[in-house]
Amino acid sequence: MTVTDNRPKSDNRPLTLQDIGCKDEALLNDWHVVGYSTDFESGRPYSVTLLGRDLAVWRDSTGELHVWEDLCIHRGARLSGGTIINNQIACPYHGWRYNTEAKCTLIPSAPRDKPMAKARAFPWAVQERYGFAWVCLGDPANDVPAFPQWDDEAQKKVHAGPFEFGANGYRALENFVDITHFPFVHSGINGDPDNPDEIHPYSVEMTDEGLVTSEIPVFQPIGDSRGRPTISGYTYRIQRPLVAAFTKRLFDVDENHRPISDDVNYFTVYATAQLVSETHSIIRTCVAVTKEGAVSDQTIKDRVTMVFTQDEAIVGTQRPERIPAELRYELHHRNDLLAQQYRSWLRSLGITYGVI
Ligand code: FES
Ligand SMILES: [Fe+2]
């Protein structure tokens, strides 16, 4: 694991930290996905927004990724609007240049002056894992959440997304781990609206890897990209406030829901939510599959895209837009045990950004 951390000492952090966006330590000290690794090519800077804060992202000529506050210390112009010259970012306003260590190397109107020591950009810790670009806007308290299937060569990995949600990221994540919406939001695929599954009590445990459920079985008319009916056993994990995964064990079944073989197929989705703002988020996923490895990557992506498009249409309508973390503001059935625990976890972490 390579973590790049050129951050200046805390007495030299930008004023924008006090001005806008998230102030919650639990979120600032966590890792957040801001893109796929393949989104960022060298030779130009990119602009992304995380937790209400503007960031400049660029890949240098050695391939190393940099994520900086999108701010030039001179007069506050956006470095993401600049250009890359000789492996340095040149600010679009007065052309000050910043090298890969975030130090200003040139003030074009005074080329013979050594730039002041405080003439620096504001870099954040960054790493690339599982094909995602992760950034931490504070002091990293944990590593990025585990994705054990990534290292299993028997499982094919396919990235799907990004899925723009005109919705709060916790609401989007909670939807991702919600078992009872399948027959209605994903009718004919993940569930049958005329014969919804009865969900039997399941357990949720807080572990070192976050909240983990026992396996929850449901019938799915088209359980996966192979186009077969299945009984699917879902095990959910909410690993961090904005990272979750499920693994489902799929058994192919006949029209009466009876297994037609002992063969098991595994399908995992690892999902990350980028909180752009309190009410706008971007979901990115990586899917790991066993038998579906025979299906084309595009077929797998198409199915995941269809499911998240159906989800967004509902999650974008939920009100209040910010998630009510106090349980008394919405009604929770025992089937919603995981969501209850998730909201209580957000509260115990002291999270206020995106929460009502
Ligand atoms: S604001 Fe960037 S060089 Fe002046
Ligand atoms: Fe869904």
Side-chain angles (χ1 to χ4, degrees), residues 72-79 91-98 108:
C72 176
I73 189 65
H74 179 219
R75 286 293 177 272
R78 294 178 66 146
L79 293 174
C91 176
Y93 197 176
H94 310 95
W96 290 24
R97 289 196 200 166
Y98 298 90

Side-chain angles (χ1 to χ4, degrees), residues 147 155 175 203 208 227 346:
F147 180 24
Q155 300 199 36
N175 162 263
S203 65
D208 290 345
L346 296 179

Side-chain angles (χ1 to χ4, degrees), residues 117-132:
K118 280 197 165 177
R120 288 187 55 109
F122 301 98
W124 298 112
V126 55
Q127 58 176 312
E128 295 183 77
R129 294 270 287 281
Y130 316 136
F132 298 116

Side-chain angles (χ1 to χ4, degrees), residues 175 181-182 185-186 307 311:
N175 162 263
H181 76 285
F182 290 169
V185 178
H186 310 299
V307 167
D311 285 326

Side-chain angles (χ1 to χ4, degrees), residues 55-228:
L55 305 170
V57 184
W58 67 289
R59 193 180 289 286
D60 69 27
S61 59
T62 70
E64 195 175 318
L65 196 66
H66 304 269
V67 180
W68 295 355
E69 199 73 10
D70 197 2
L71 180 83
C72 176
I73 189 65
H74 179 219
R75 286 293 177 272
R78 294 178 66 146
L79 293 174
S80 63
T83 46
I84 309 286
I85 303 172
N86 296 333
N87 212 27
Q88 305 191 7
I89 291 197
C91 176
Y93 197 176
H94 310 95
W96 290 24
R97 289 196 200 166
Y98 298 90
N99 68 12
T100 55
E101 287 170 1
K103 288 188 184 136
C104 179
T105 62
L106 175 71
I107 296 175
S109 61
R112 283 175 293 167
D113 290 5
K114 186 171 185 285
M116 308 75 98
K118 280 197 165 177
R120 288 187 55 109
F122 301 98
W124 298 112
V126 55
Q127 58 176 312
E128 295 183 77
R129 294 270 287 281
Y130 316 136
F132 298 116
W134 301 80
V135 63
C136 173
L137 302 181
D139 300 309
N142 310 86
D143 197 358
V144 305
F147 180 24
Q149 290 81 2
W150 180 259
D151 297 315
D152 179 355
E153 287 179 8
Q155 300 199 36
K156 176 156 108 172
K157 264 68 76 181
V158 179
H159 289 96
F163 305 115
E164 297 247 357
F165 272 56
N168 177 270
Y170 313 108
R171 289 247 194 224
L173 205 88
E174 188 179 87
N175 162 263
F176 174 71
V177 300
D178 180 296
I179 195 97
T180 58
H181 76 285
F182 290 169
F184 309 102
V185 178
H186 310 299
S187 156
I189 314 166
N190 285 346
D192 176 358
D194 297 325
N195 192 16
D197 282 294
E198 180 179 349
I199 303 298
H200 298 289
Y202 62 89
S203 65
V204 180
E205 255 188 85
M206 177 52 93
T207 71
D208 290 345
E209 305 240 323
L211 296 166
V212 181
T213 67
S214 55
E215 190 178 74
I216 310 168
V218 290
F219 169 73
Q220 303 199 300
I222 303 179
D224 65 20
S225 315
R226 296 170 308 143
R228 311 253 180 95

